[in-house]
């Protein structure tokens, strides 16, 4: 009887491990609108996606042309949630001509967003705004005026906003441009009032100090010590001056009082270039478990655009152990077709997800690339590490929105349309869902745990090192192969000699007082 139970247990473990391994491969999730794709509203771009704790999905839909943005909420099966706003839609109208959403973040049940408007009052002007929306759709009236805070006067008369973030204390931050040569970071309270403890008036400005040098702001985030990070690029002004052409990935780091952090890079600002003839730009900044930074974006190498990631240590110096001297650059299918990355995320196991577009004539794909923590392509995610998706007869698809779920699903959003010989039909808002990520843990989760096991891939008989993150004490570490055989590792040491193992993938289970985490080890 014991032998039978043991065999059944091994079979169950084997099946579970095979299921876990199968989910590593990227594929459309048929549980989302029966085929993994939702193609809906005409003239809309689903550029921002937020997943609620209950699994419902908020999609920020920007207009193509003069109109207003709105937010749609979908159920977990891809159907519209009619209980949200008015029949599943909440309109974000801030000015009478056009309103665009540029960033969304969910905090304590409130959806905070930022954006730009165009108004015809007196002239055609751009107004930056922040807004707060209740759980079921509707303005949170305690924020700003009727749920909206406008920045259109005095030292808050900004050119445009690019990103929004909420820190651990509930402070709301916006980042963008006051002018092309002057970026801003503003901090407000949850009431929408400027926080004067941030740079004295709630607004921190950073000038290029050269009218020929311009900023582009793309993202804002916070590191593990609460430092404020802004990412984008610094580049030559769009004019015919004699200043040599350059695009550099930019990271600016701020202290809690709004001053630039002089301990980072050069006086708080890091500029990074992958090659003397390359044009580099950052789209998304992510903070590694080690509190180092990865900026996901693009590199133009003189031939075409490629996906790129640069890894920067916490002091602002490139990490030479990552990729090629700190850079990982990828032409997806080595065809010199345009690959343009617009978003990205760092998975809990340290892998790097990059999403955007791959263009091949009239056909444009939603494109995803997954890298290992060292910058190499993750071959288990898809063939050669990348996955392309085209929406059937809608052959021209562009992807900007990205969200991950706690069970490892990936949402991409943008638009889909049909193009023939350069002539294109109407745009439709498009959202797709895939399996193939890894479980995510929200910020502030008391049992959040990540760890690194390296080198990975590894070889039998070699020294293996374990770096546990956010763990008070390691209790146990096991390696399980795909047949269900479990190998117990001594948890009292930070390194061990890998026993003689058959080549293949092993599931690593790390038990600590803080919780349990899983990873993969490839044995060659």
């Amino acid at each position: 009887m014991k032998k039978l139970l043991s065999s059944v247990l091994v079979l169950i473990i084997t099946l579970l491990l095979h299921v876990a391994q199968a989910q590593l491969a990227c594929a459309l999730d048929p549980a989302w609108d029966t085929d993994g794709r939702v193609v809906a509203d005409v003239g809309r771009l689903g550029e921002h996606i937020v997943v609620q704790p209950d699994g419902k999905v908020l999609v920020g839909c920007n207009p193509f042309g003069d109109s207003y943005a709105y937010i749609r909420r979908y159920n977990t099966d891809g159907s519209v949630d009619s209980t949200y706003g008015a029949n599943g839609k909440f309109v974000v109208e801030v000015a009478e001509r056009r309103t665009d959403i540029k960033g969304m973040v969910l905090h304590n049940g409130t959806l905070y967003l930022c954006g730009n408007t165009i108004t015809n009052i007196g002239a055609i002007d751009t107004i930056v705004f922040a807004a707060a929306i209740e759980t079921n759709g509707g303005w949170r009236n305690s924020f700003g005026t009727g749920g909206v805070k406008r920045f259109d006067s005095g030292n808050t008369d900004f050119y445009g906003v690019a990103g929004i973030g909420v820190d651990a204390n509930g402070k709301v931050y916006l980042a963008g441009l006051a002018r092309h040569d002057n970026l801003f970071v503003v901090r407000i309270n949850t009431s929408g009032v400027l926080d004067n403890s941030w740079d004295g008036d709630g607004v921190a400005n950073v000038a290029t100090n050269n009218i020929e040098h311009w900023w582009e702001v793309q993202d804002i985030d916070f590191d593990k010590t609460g430092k404020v990070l802004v990412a984008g690029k610094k580049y030559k002004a769009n004019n015919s001056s004699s200043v040599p052409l350059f695009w550099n990935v930019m990271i600016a780091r701020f202290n809690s009082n709004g001053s630039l952090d002089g301990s980072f890079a050069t006086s708080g600002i890091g500029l990074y270039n992958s090659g003397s003839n390359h044009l580099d730009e950052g789209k998304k900044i992510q903070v590694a478990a080690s509190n180092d930074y990865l900026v996901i974006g693009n590199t133009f190498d003189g031939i075409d655009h490629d996906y790129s990631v640069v890894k920067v240590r916490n002091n602002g110096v490139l990490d030479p152990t990552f990729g090629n001297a700190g850079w990982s650059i990828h032409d997806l299918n080595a065809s010199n077709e345009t690959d343009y990355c617009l978003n990205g995320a760092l998975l809990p196991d340290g892998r790097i997800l990059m999403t955007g577009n791959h263009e091949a004539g009239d056909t444009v794909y939603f494109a995803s690339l997954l890298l290992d923590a060292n910058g190499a392509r993750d071959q288990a995610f898809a063939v050669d590490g990348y996955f392309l998706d085209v929406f059937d007869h809608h052959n021209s698809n562009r992807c900007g929105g990205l969200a991950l779920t706690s069970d490892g699903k990936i949402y991409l959003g943008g638009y889909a349309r049909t193009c023939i010989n350069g002539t294109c039909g109407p745009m439709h808002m498009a959202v797709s869902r895939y399996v193939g990520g890894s479980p995510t843990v929200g910020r502030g989760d008391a049992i959040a745990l990540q760890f690194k096991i390296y080198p990975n891939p590894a070889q039998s008989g070699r020294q293996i090192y374990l770096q546990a993150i956010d763990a008070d004490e390691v209790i146990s570490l096991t390696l399980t192969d795909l047949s269900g055989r479990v190998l117990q590792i001594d948890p009292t040491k930070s390194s061990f000699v890998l026993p003689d193992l058959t080549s293949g993938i092993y599931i690593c289970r790390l038990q600590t007082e803080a919780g349990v985490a899983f990873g993969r080890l490839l044995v060659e």
Side-chain angles (χ1 to χ4, degrees):
M1 184 67 177
K2 284 185 177 181
K3 185 174 181 180
L4 175 60
L5 289 174
S6 177
S7 298
V8 171
L9 180 60
V10 168
L11 177 60
I12 292 173
I13 293 173
T14 302
L15 291 172
L16 289 174
L17 288 169
H18 276 293
V19 168
Q21 174 63 16
Q23 289 180 341
L24 293 172
C26 188
L28 283 161
D29 182 0
W32 174 255
D33 200 43
T34 72
D35 65 353
R37 306 184 184 108
V38 168
V39 179
D41 309 21
V42 176
R44 291 286 156 173
L45 297 78
E47 296 181 305
H48 304 282
I49 307 175
V50 171
V51 180
Q52 296 181 171
D54 62 1
K56 293 186 177 183
V57 182
L58 299 167
V59 181
C61 303
N62 282 330
F64 180 70
D66 288 344
S67 186
Y68 313 117
Y70 53 75
I71 298 167
R72 277 210 180 275
R73 189 163 75 182
Y74 290 88
N75 297 309
T76 57
D77 63 358
S79 61
V80 173
D81 179 7
S82 60
T83 67
Y84 184 77
N87 296 318
K89 180 173 74 173
F90 177 75
V91 177
V92 182
E93 179 183 353
V94 176
E96 69 277 10
R97 180 176 172 185
R98 178 185 173 108
T99 302
D100 281 322
I101 296 171
K102 300 299 289 186
M104 303 195 319
V105 61
L106 189 65
H107 181 77
N108 288 343
T110 298
L111 181 69
Y112 293 97
L113 56 87
C114 67
N116 301 316
T117 71
I118 296 176
T119 174
N120 286 333
I121 299 175
I124 298 176
D125 296 321
T126 299
I127 297 173
V128 169
F129 72 92
I133 297 172
E134 299 283 5
T135 301
N136 289 319
W139 300 112
R140 205 192 85 195
N141 291 321
S142 61
F143 182 87
T145 302
V148 178
K149 169 66 177 177
R150 292 164 63 121
F151 299 89
D152 56 355
S153 64
N155 69 330
T156 61
D157 188 5
F158 302 133
Y159 174 77
V161 69
I164 188 169
V166 182
D167 70 12
N169 299 313
K171 301 287 187 179
V172 181
Y173 296 73
L174 279 72
L177 298 179
R179 301 185 308 273
H180 283 297
D181 62 346
N182 192 312
L183 67 82
F184 76 84
V185 179
V186 63
R187 185 166 77 189
I188 55 180
N189 296 310
T190 53
S191 62
V193 176
L194 286 167
D195 181 358
N196 291 334
S197 66
W198 177 260
D199 204 50
D201 60 0
V203 183
N205 290 99
V206 180
T208 64
N209 296 319
N210 187 327
I211 60 173
E212 304 287 348
H213 295 182
W214 287 359
W215 299 120
E216 181 177 278
V217 173
Q218 290 289 343
D219 194 23
I220 183 168
D221 206 345
F222 313 93
D223 77 3
K224 294 182 179 300
T225 65
K227 303 281 188 180
V228 180
L229 306 172
V230 173
K233 75 180 181 186
K234 187 178 184 182
Y235 65 110
K236 176 192 179 297
N238 294 325
N239 57 29
S240 57
S241 73
S242 59
V243 174
L245 179 65
F246 72 92
W247 289 16
N248 292 335
V249 169
M250 174 273 293
I251 304 174
R253 189 167 82 184
F254 296 83
N255 296 310
S256 59
N257 63 2
S259 62
L260 282 170
D261 182 359
S263 67
F264 176 76
T266 303
S267 302
I269 298 177
L271 300 174
Y272 309 96
N273 182 239
S274 63
S276 59
N277 297 318
H278 289 181
L279 303 178
D280 301 298
E281 59 181 339
K283 294 293 185 182
K284 196 76 174 178
I285 187 165
Q286 297 284 279
V287 180
S290 58
N291 207 29
D292 296 331
Y293 313 140
L294 296 110
V295 180
I296 298 165
N298 301 282
T299 292
F300 182 74
D301 60 5
I303 301 174
D304 66 343
H305 283 90
D306 299 322
Y307 283 28
S308 65
V309 183
V310 58
K311 186 174 183 182
V312 179
R313 288 180 173 166
N314 190 258
N315 60 1
V317 175
L318 287 171
D319 182 351
T321 67
F322 178 80
N324 181 11
W327 288 85
S328 182
I329 301 174
H330 298 270
D331 181 342
L332 292 187
N333 64 356
S335 64
N336 290 330
E337 295 169 330
T338 294
D339 300 311
Y340 199 70
C341 179
L342 288 166
N343 215 324
L346 186 64
L347 303 187
D349 58 11
R351 291 180 295 163
I352 305 159
L353 178 66
M354 308 173 70
T355 62
N357 309 315
H358 172 78
E359 300 184 22
D362 282 336
T363 303
V364 183
Y365 302 83
F366 276 23
S368 300
L369 173 68
L370 192 65
L371 306 180
D372 289 332
N374 62 5
R377 298 192 186 199
D378 185 338
Q379 302 294 335
F381 177 72
V383 176
D384 212 18
Y386 70 92
F387 185 83
L388 303 181
D389 186 23
V390 67
F391 283 53
D392 299 325
H393 67 281
H394 295 296
N395 64 313
S396 182
N397 313 275
R398 296 186 185 272
C399 161
L402 167 65
L404 305 175
T405 67
S406 59
D407 59 352
K409 291 184 172 62
I410 301 167
Y411 285 95
L412 299 182
Y415 71 80
R417 62 178 176 174
T418 302
C419 294
I420 301 175
N421 297 326
T423 300
C424 297
M427 295 179 178
H428 298 260
M429 186 273 291
V431 178
S432 52
R433 188 170 78 187
Y434 310 88
V435 297
S438 60
T440 61
V441 182
R443 286 180 187 161
D445 193 323
I447 62 169
L449 178 66
Q450 298 180 8
F451 77 101
K452 292 181 180 179
I453 185 166
Y454 57 95
N456 193 357
Q459 295 180 342
S460 295
R462 298 293 181 88
Q463 196 78 11
I464 303 299
Y465 298 90
L466 174 69
Q467 180 184 1
I469 310 299
D470 298 332
D472 295 330
E473 182 180 349
V474 175
I475 297 173
S476 67
L477 173 67
T478 59
L479 301 177
T480 305
D481 66 17
L482 296 186
S483 69
R485 185 169 66 95
V486 178
L487 177 68
Q488 185 75 39
I489 303 297
D490 184 357
T492 63
K493 300 176 181 178
S494 60
S495 67
F496 60 92
V497 175
L498 189 66
D500 186 16
L501 298 176
T502 304
S503 298
I505 294 175
Y506 290 77
I507 306 300
C508 309
R509 183 185 188 276
L510 179 67
Q511 172 75 56
T512 78
E513 291 184 348
V516 178
F518 292 88
R520 296 176 307 145
L521 177 66
L522 176 60
V523 177
E524 295 181 334

